[in-house]
C-alpha cells in the first residue's frame, strides 16, 4: 500500500519512526522503494551531488521536474516529495502554486519548501488548494549565503524562533516539517510539541523520522559529508543492504547516534 500523509500521521501517533532518503533517478528510486523506504525526497541537493555545484541555489524548476519524473517511474509504494528550488516560490503565493503544480504533474505526491514564519501564508495558500506541504526549518540550504555557511541553527536565543516557526507552519497546514542541523534537545522539544511529524537531518534521534542524502549515505559523494551523515556501505554487501540497514537503524533508534547529532 502506498505511503500517504495519513500513513505518516499514524506513524507519529504510534511512535513508529519514519524513513526518508533522497533520490534523483529511476534506478536508485526503484532500489530505495523496494527496500521499504517511507518517502523519497527529490531534493534540491541534486545541485551538489548530481550537478557538482557548491550549493543547491543553481537548481532550476525544470531540473527538479525532470528528476521528479525519473523518480516517479521507479517508485510505486513510497511517498514522493518534490523539493521546490530556490527562486521558484519566494516571489508570490501564486508563483509557489504554479511551481508546485509543475512538480506534482511530474510525479510528486507532496512538495517541500524552506522557511518558517515567512512561508506561512504560502503554505496555507497551497494547502487550501489541495497541495500537501512539508516545511523545512533550521539550516535552510537555499539561504546558505545569508546564513554564512552550512551552520547549526537554533542555539541560544535563536531556539525560540525555531519553536515559533515550527508551530506556525503546523498551524498553516503543513503535514510535516524537516528539521536540519538543529540541536538534538531542541528538536526533541519541537517534536513533542507538534502533532505533525518532524523529519530530522542532523537533529537527533528524537525526531519522528530521519532523512539523508543518498550519496552521503552510501559514501559516493566525492566531497566531505556533514557530521550528521553515516556511510551505511561500511559492512554492507550491497547498496540495497545498506539502504535496508539504514531503515532498520532508524526504526530501532540506533541512528542517528550521538556522534551524528549536535548539542
Amino acid at each position: 500500500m502506498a505511503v500517504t500523509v495519513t500513513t505518516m500521521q499514524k506513524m507519529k501517533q504510534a511512535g513508529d519512526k519514519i524513513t526518508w532518503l533522497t533520490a534523483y533517478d529511476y534506478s536508485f528510486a526503484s532500489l530505495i522503494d523496494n527496500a521499504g523506504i517511507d518517502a523519497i525526497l527529490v531534493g534540491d541537493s541534486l545541485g551538489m551531488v548530481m550537478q557538482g555545484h557548491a550549493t543547491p541555489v543553481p537548481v532550476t524548476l525544470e531540473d527538479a521536474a525532470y528528476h521528479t519524473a525519473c523518480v516517479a517511474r521507479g517508485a510505486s509504494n513510497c511517498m514522493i516529495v518534490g523539493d521546490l528550488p530556490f527562486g521558484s516560490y519566494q516571489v508570490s503565493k501564486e508563483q509557489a502554486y504554479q511551481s508546485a503544480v509543475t512538480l506534482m504533474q511530474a510525479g510528486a505526491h507532496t512538495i517541500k519548501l524552506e522557511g518558517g514564519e515567512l512561508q506561512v501564508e504560502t503554505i496555507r495558500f497551497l494547502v487550501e488548494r489541495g497541495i500537501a506541504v512539508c516545511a523545512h526549518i533550521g539550516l535552510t540550504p537555499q539561504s546558505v549565503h545569508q546564513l554564512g555557511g552550512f551552520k547549526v541553527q537554533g542555539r541560544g536565543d535563536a531556539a525560540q524562533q525555531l519553536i515559533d516557526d515550527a508551530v506556525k507552519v503546523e498551524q498553516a497546514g503543513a503535514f510535516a516539517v524537516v528539521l536540519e542541523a538543529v540541536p538534538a534537545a531542541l528538536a526533541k522539544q519541537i517534536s513533542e510539541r507538534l502533532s505533525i511529524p518532524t523529519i530530522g537531518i542532523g537533529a537527533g534521534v528524537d525526531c519522528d523520522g530521519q532523512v539523508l542524502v543518498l550519496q552521503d549515505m552510501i559514501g559516493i559523494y566525492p566531497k566531505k559529508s556533514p557530521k550528521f551523515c553515516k556511510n551505511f556501505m561500511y559492512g554492507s554487501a550491497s547498496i540495497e543492504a545498506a539502504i535496508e540497514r539504514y531503515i532498520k537503524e532508524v526504526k530501532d533508534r540506533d541512528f542517528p547516534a550521538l556522534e551524528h547529532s549536535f548539542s
Side-chain angles (χ1 to χ4, degrees):
M1 183 180 295
V3 177
T4 67
V5 167
T6 302
T7 307
M8 291 193 185
Q9 186 63 49
K10 290 179 178 178
M11 291 176 74
K12 177 181 173 80
Q13 293 169 352
D16 184 8
K17 293 294 185 181
I18 301 165
T19 56
W20 291 24
L21 277 174
T22 67
Y24 319 96
D25 64 74
Y26 168 82
S27 298
F28 273 123
S30 179
L31 193 66
I32 293 170
D33 189 53
N34 289 336
I37 206 76
D38 296 313
I40 289 176
L41 170 63
V42 189
D44 62 3
S45 47
L46 72 89
M48 293 176 284
V49 300
M50 300 295 288
Q51 298 175 334
H53 297 298
T55 76
V57 171
V59 175
T60 66
L61 184 62
E62 290 74 18
D63 293 335
Y66 169 82
H67 287 278
T68 298
C70 293
V71 166
R73 296 184 195 107
S76 57
N77 300 303
C78 66
M79 177 188 287
I80 300 172
V81 184
D83 207 359
L84 291 179
F86 177 74
S88 71
Y89 61 95
Q90 292 95 338
V91 173
S92 67
K93 302 187 293 292
E94 291 77 14
Q95 182 206 30
Y97 176 77
Q98 290 301 326
S99 297
V101 167
T102 297
L103 294 191
M104 293 183 72
Q105 289 180 338
H109 304 127
T110 65
I111 64 99
K112 182 178 76 65
L113 54 77
E114 293 186 5
E117 183 176 1
L118 184 64
Q119 298 299 337
V120 162
E121 291 306 316
T122 296
I123 294 170
R124 184 175 292 114
F125 185 86
L126 296 178
V127 171
E128 287 173 350
R129 284 153 182 79
I131 297 173
V133 180
C134 176
H136 182 155
I137 62 175
L139 172 58
T140 47
Q142 291 174 13
S143 304
V144 63
H145 298 303
Q146 182 188 51
L147 296 173
F150 295 97
K151 300 178 179 179
V152 179
Q153 303 295 307
R155 284 176 171 155
D157 294 339
Q160 187 58 52
Q161 182 60 56
L162 274 188
I163 294 171
D164 293 344
D165 283 341
V167 170
K168 287 175 181 177
V169 298
E170 177 183 37
Q171 292 173 343
F175 79 88
V177 56
V178 170
L179 305 178
E180 181 168 356
V182 172
L186 176 60
K188 181 176 188 291
Q189 183 179 353
I190 292 172
S191 300
E192 291 173 346
R193 181 159 179 174
L194 299 186
S195 61
I196 61 174
T198 58
I199 308 299
I201 178 166
V205 72
D206 292 304
C207 292
D208 300 302
Q210 301 291 330
V211 60
L212 283 180
V213 172
L214 175 67
Q215 280 75 0
D216 290 325
M217 195 274 288
I218 59 175
I220 63 172
Y221 183 51
K223 296 182 181 179
K224 183 179 179 181
S225 295
K227 169 188 173 178
F228 53 71
C229 295
K230 176 179 177 179
N231 186 347
F232 283 85
M233 280 301 297
Y234 287 133
S236 299
S238 64
I239 293 175
E240 184 175 19
I243 295 168
E244 291 173 347
R245 185 172 149 214
Y246 164 74
I247 293 171
K248 184 178 188 304
E249 289 196 16
V250 172
K251 297 286 188 184
D252 292 345
R253 298 176 60 92
D254 293 327
F255 177 83
L258 287 177
E259 63 262 33
H260 310 117
S261 306
F262 300 103
S263 58

